Amino acid sequence: ADAVEALIRRLAPLAQAYLDARRAPARCAGASGAGGQQLCECEWWIHARPSGGRSPGHQLHFDTEERTMELSGGRSVVHPAVSSVVYLSGGDGSVDAPGDPTVVLDQTLGGAPARRAWVVHPRARSFMVFDGDRLHGVLPGGRRGGGGEPYESGPDVLNSGLPAAQRLTLLIAWYAEGQPLLREASGSKRARALTARGSIPRPTRGRTWPRALQLEADDAPSAQAEEAEPAEWRPPAISPAWEDVRPAGGPSRVAGAAADSARVPADDLEEAYKTHFFLVREDDVERRLWEEHGEDGTYTRASEKRRR
């Protein structure tokens, strides 16, 4: 086993407990199809980026199984049953701790704009779970100084040569039994490539990183080792999640509650639109998903070329 697989096996019961707790009210209400979903597989990836100072964050998006969407011609959209973040860096979880915060909005694909959002600041060795169909991202940087004033932002800070704190996270998307995931044909080259739901490749002379994940015998925890009971923390909801900041007589633009429009320089607005923290249309995020992974999306066309 490798280190990531061992960690995932430790975290799986926590993800399952979250799913069970979320489904319980629906079962009590007699909703059909709500009972007993079991997590059966997951995919994971790593994000590493500088934090603090001037950071663009990570765009608001929906977790989807993109290959299923592409192979179905955009007819099937499958979200994870549970999405999660393992924070591998960060301080004590406070506002002034290193690392830009994750934001999760109570908003689903095709649904109305969220009224509530939750903001979670990184704390090393912590594990955050949320519904896999919710809109989320990483808020743009800008830790605050000791007096509460925002740090300077701009190219001079970005290119100052000062070492940037790293925001390191392991993202895990958990899928449950019965979710209609489409797979490549077993004989296709794509199925053997390093892709989502693929196996970790063997180490080679030019590809050494898989060796770093391998566990030695001494790395395995003993059966007698005591495990600390995880402490649960639920962040408070922020409302409203979006604020209307349209200029008088201008196009509609909507900003997240965590973004202070008065502090966004005009030069940064273009980047803000790309990451969807400012919207021209309420469905900007959804439109981008279809433009990339829909029937004639850019990633769909690229995948078709690779399969030929």
Side-chain angles (χ1 to χ4, degrees), residues 204-244:
T204 64
R205 184 175 301 178
R207 185 170 55 201
T208 61
W209 65 265
R211 187 175 293 113
L213 295 179
Q214 293 176 342
L215 288 176
E216 304 296 336
D218 294 342
D219 295 328
S222 65
Q224 292 76 27
E226 293 187 9
E227 294 187 18
E229 186 70 20
E232 182 178 323
W233 177 73
R234 299 188 181 189
I238 296 173
S239 183
W242 295 100
E243 290 186 0
D244 191 344

Side-chain angles (χ1 to χ4, degrees), residues 17-217:
Y18 173 81
L19 181 62
D20 292 343
R22 293 291 289 168
R23 295 293 183 263
R27 290 201 298 271
C28 293
S32 61
Q37 274 191 307
Q38 294 296 312
L39 299 177
C40 60
E41 64 178 301
C42 66
E43 58 180 340
W44 62 267
W45 58 101
I46 294 285
H47 275 181
R49 55 170 48 87
S51 64
R54 186 176 187 236
S55 167
H58 186 74
Q59 67 187 36
L60 289 177
H61 66 282
F62 295 100
D63 283 348
T64 58
E65 212 297 297
E66 289 92 352
R67 292 302 298 144
T68 292
M69 191 172 177
E70 293 164 3
L71 290 171
S72 68
R75 292 184 296 274
S76 180
V77 179
V78 179
H79 302 285
V82 176
S83 291
S84 62
V85 182
V86 181
Y87 294 102
L88 303 175
S89 65
D92 58 3
S94 66
V95 173
D96 292 323
D100 303 327
T102 305
V103 59
V104 179
L105 294 90
D106 193 14
Q107 182 171 332
T108 57
L109 189 65
R115 295 190 176 188
R116 298 182 300 167
W118 294 265
V119 174
V120 177
H121 292 266
R123 182 171 185 170
R125 299 168 60 89
S126 62
F127 178 56
M128 191 260 288
V129 292
F130 57 96
D131 290 4
D133 61 351
R134 293 316 196 259
L135 182 66
H136 62 284
V138 178
L139 288 173
R143 290 185 299 158
R144 294 184 177 276
E149 70 281 0
Y151 285 139
E152 292 286 338
S153 65
D156 54 329
V157 175
L158 188 64
N159 302 319
S160 65
L162 296 174
Q166 284 292 312
R167 184 186 192 276
L168 185 63
T169 53
L170 168 68
L171 296 310
I172 309 173
W174 308 82
Y175 293 91
E177 294 174 346
Q179 290 190 279
L181 300 175
L182 299 182
R183 301 180 184 277
E184 302 281 356
S186 59
S188 70
K189 292 181 179 179
R190 179 73 175 170
R192 297 192 296 270
L194 177 60
T195 60
R197 304 206 312 273
S199 300
I200 294 180
R202 294 180 178 179
T204 64
R205 184 175 301 178
R207 185 170 55 201
T208 61
W209 65 265
R211 187 175 293 113
L213 295 179
Q214 293 176 342
L215 288 176
E216 304 296 336

